[in-house]
Amino acid sequence: MRQWRMVGVVVVMAMVLGACAAKDLPTGYESLRSEVSLVEGSKYIQGLRDQYIVARQRGLITPDQFVLAVKADETLSVAWNRMVAAIRAKNDSAALWAEAIRATSTLENLLVSWIPNYTPVPNKPAVLGK
Amino acid sequence: MEIIAIVSLVSAIMALVRTGILSYVEVREVLKKYETLPATPENIEALRLELLASAEMTHAVDDPRIRAILEADGIDPEVLRIA
């Protein structure tokens, strides 16, 4: 019982730390909130990657599942970087966002269905959908 | 079975904590530089570009941990690379 309480405390700490990162834009720079959300989005995707790497190291997913996860992650990282490049050029589009969100969802669904007792990565930014 | 579940849960939580702390520290470091700089259009654009640089993802096949696992499984990571 006490271990589960500790687990809860640790998860809440991680969520609070992530939430703090979004709220401290210096005065006058508040218009960059969506760019901060993108940084959080990339950390969220990194969290998904950490999940399947750890799962493979622990033998919780097979080599074939790992390859499929890498393929989904590769598709996601390409879509994500394409979107970031478009935002940098102030030329992003709904289609690029949709592609990144779809690729994120694909990787999430694989992990949820494969990893036993899957713990979702906290602090999923709103830009990636709920 | 219960031990495996607990071990996997603890590993997942450690990964989550690491991700949360990294996210916090990296964003804070970028923002801290601009706390004392006036919010001129040039500075806002400079911070925007720094944040976007932080938002870029490393390709999955370029992650050394992924490459090591694939190679240990006899798979060439480059086969999985997308453009």
Side-chain angles (χ1 to χ4, degrees):
Chain A
M1 193 63 190
R2 192 166 4 140
Q3 288 144 333
W4 289 111
R5 207 174 300 152
M6 285 286 289
V7 166
V9 168
V10 170
V11 170
V12 169
M13 272 175 53
M15 293 175 81
V16 168
L17 284 172
C20 287
K23 292 176 180 163
D24 289 318
L25 273 165
T27 307
Y29 293 89
E30 292 86 352
S31 62
L32 298 176
R33 199 160 298 283
S34 59
E35 280 79 2
V36 173
S37 292
L38 279 178
V39 178
E40 290 171 346
S42 71
K43 300 308 167 198
Y44 175 79
I45 295 167
Q46 186 65 49
L48 294 177
R49 184 177 293 175
D50 290 344
Q51 293 272 33
Y52 73 78
I53 290 172
V54 170
R56 179 70 192 100
Q57 287 168 339
R58 298 277 174 198
L60 300 174
I61 60 173
T62 66
D64 286 346
Q65 287 173 325
F66 184 75
V67 167
L68 289 174
V70 173
K71 283 181 179 173
D73 187 355
E74 183 70 2
T75 302
L76 171 54
S77 48
V78 167
W80 183 262
N81 287 345
R82 197 179 296 149
M83 188 184 71
V84 170
I87 291 170
R88 182 180 291 118
K90 299 182 177 173
N91 190 29
D92 59 318
S93 67
L96 287 173
W97 278 98
E99 194 182 340
I101 291 168
R102 192 167 45 244
T104 304
S105 178
T106 301
L107 182 56
E108 283 172 332
N109 290 338
L110 291 178
L111 302 187
V112 168
S113 61
W114 289 340
I115 301 176
N117 304 306
Y118 177 75
T119 310
V121 177
N123 302 321
K124 183 176 182 180
V127 290
L128 284 175
K130 286 289 172 190
Chain B
M1 193 64 192
E2 209 169 273
I3 290 172
I4 292 172
I6 290 170
V7 168
S8 62
L9 182 62
V10 169
S11 304
I13 288 168
M14 289 310 291
L16 300 181
V17 171
R18 219 173 37 240
T19 306
I21 289 170
L22 280 178
S23 173
Y24 177 74
V25 170
E26 286 172 15
V27 175
R28 283 298 310 143
E29 269 180 18
V30 172
L31 296 181
K32 199 175 176 187
K33 280 196 302 186
Y34 289 85
E35 279 172 359
T36 54
L37 293 176
T40 61
E42 294 77 21
N43 286 340
I44 291 173
E45 180 62 11
L47 176 54
R48 192 179 88 87
L49 294 177
E50 280 201 54
L51 289 171
L52 290 174
S54 298
E56 281 180 0
M57 287 295 304
T58 307
H59 277 237
V61 293
D62 288 329
D63 187 312
R65 297 169 302 165
I66 290 174
R67 292 186 77 86
I69 293 170
L70 289 171
E71 284 164 2
D73 288 339
I75 299 160
D76 177 6
E78 293 306 319
V79 172
L80 305 177
R81 184 182 295 281
I82 300 174

